[in-house]
Amino acid sequence: FFFKQKTAYEIVDCDWSSDVCSSDLLVPVPAERVVSSSDEQTVQLGQRALRLIDTPGHARHHHAVWDPVTRGWFTGDTFGLSYRELDVAGRPWILPTSTPVQFEPEALRHSIERLLAADPDCVYLTHFGRLDDVPTLGRQLCQLLDETVVIATALRRAPERHPALVQALTALYQRSLRAHGSTLPDDAIADALALDIELNAQGLGIWLDRLGD
């Protein structure tokens, strides 16, 4: 087990046919089996020497993993989210995630730029899949990140901030998808991204609260 934190957990004796596994089955991994990972650490996996780099911004515990064989990054959520149902003529659309509770836009942009600096042939997103044409995706991701920060900052003291953030993010993603060539109706886009919009708005609210006055 490789974890950035000192403690790791595993699930034991879970009935995976059930919808819920009891928290009683979550037990600490013995300390001698846990390796606390670090920036620029190398992990040997068969013939692959995987490189780990620290990529905060989405979450402070995040690492990305470089696979030298495919020249690709396993990015977690640092390099955003992309859904195949929103592809246009085989071209993926990508959006940044600001989900709670450790969104930090400056750190996230730095992490994205660090991933791009390796000139990767592909990225492997947790949500979802392998994507190519990484420079184009990186530009789109950074542009939407910058626009997200502008929107959130402008709404920082709005009296009904959360619904305003939800509305503004929905409009942003609809405009971005239109520019990408999507012909989906606005309500279909809103429905497809409803959960992400809600979580991103929550995370932006937490970030704005941390900024204080």
Side-chain angles (χ1 to χ4, degrees):
F1 289 81
F2 289 84
F3 277 80
K4 196 169 179 180
Q5 295 95 337
K6 291 290 186 182
T7 305
Y9 297 88
E10 62 180 336
I11 297 173
V12 296
D13 297 328
C14 181
D15 178 6
W16 295 106
S17 64
S18 171
D19 290 336
V20 178
C21 283
S22 169
S23 59
D24 294 338
L25 302 176
L26 191 66
V27 299
V29 173
E32 62 271 16
R33 295 177 60 203
V34 178
V35 177
S36 182
S37 57
S38 58
D39 188 44
E40 294 293 355
Q41 181 177 356
T42 299
V43 177
Q44 197 67 35
L45 181 65
Q47 299 302 309
R48 282 171 159 85
L50 302 178
R51 172 190 171 205
L52 280 61
I53 67 166
D54 191 23
T55 52
H58 166 69
R60 294 173 190 166
H61 65 270
H62 248 296
H63 273 137
V65 180
W66 173 256
D67 173 26
V69 176
T70 62
R71 291 192 49 78
W73 287 110
F74 289 84
T75 63
D77 287 342
T78 299
F79 206 79
L81 315 173
S82 185
Y83 300 106
R84 303 290 62 78
E85 58 265 42
L86 298 178
D87 289 356
V88 176
R91 294 181 298 111
W93 177 81
I94 201 165
L95 74 154
T97 174
S98 58
T99 50
V101 293
Q102 294 177 337
F103 173 66
E104 296 169 310
E106 291 184 6
L108 181 56
R109 175 175 262 280
H110 180 266
S111 293
I112 293 168
E113 291 172 349
R114 191 175 180 192
L115 294 172
L116 293 170
D119 192 24
D121 290 338
C122 60
V123 286
Y124 299 96
L125 306 189
T126 301
H127 311 284
F128 289 96
R130 171 178 167 147
L131 302 179
D132 302 321
D133 193 12
V134 182
T136 298
L137 294 173
R139 287 191 295 272
Q140 183 183 102
L141 192 62
C142 287
Q143 180 180 346
L144 278 175
L145 175 62
D146 292 345
E147 293 183 51
T148 297
V149 170
V150 170
I151 286 170
T153 303
L155 294 172
R156 183 175 176 183
R157 293 182 175 83
E160 298 291 335
R161 188 176 68 188
H162 181 74
L165 285 169
V166 168
Q167 183 177 17
L169 289 176
T170 301
L172 172 63
Y173 301 153
Q174 289 166 337
R175 289 196 306 272
S176 179
L177 276 161
R178 289 280 171 270
H180 189 63
S182 176
T183 59
L184 285 174
D186 281 350
D187 57 352
I189 293 172
D191 288 345
L193 295 173
L195 178 59
D196 295 307
I197 291 168
E198 172 63 26
L199 291 174
N200 281 354
Q202 290 180 19
L204 289 171
I206 293 170
W207 170 64
L208 291 170
D209 288 342
R210 281 204 309 269
L211 295 179
D213 297 327

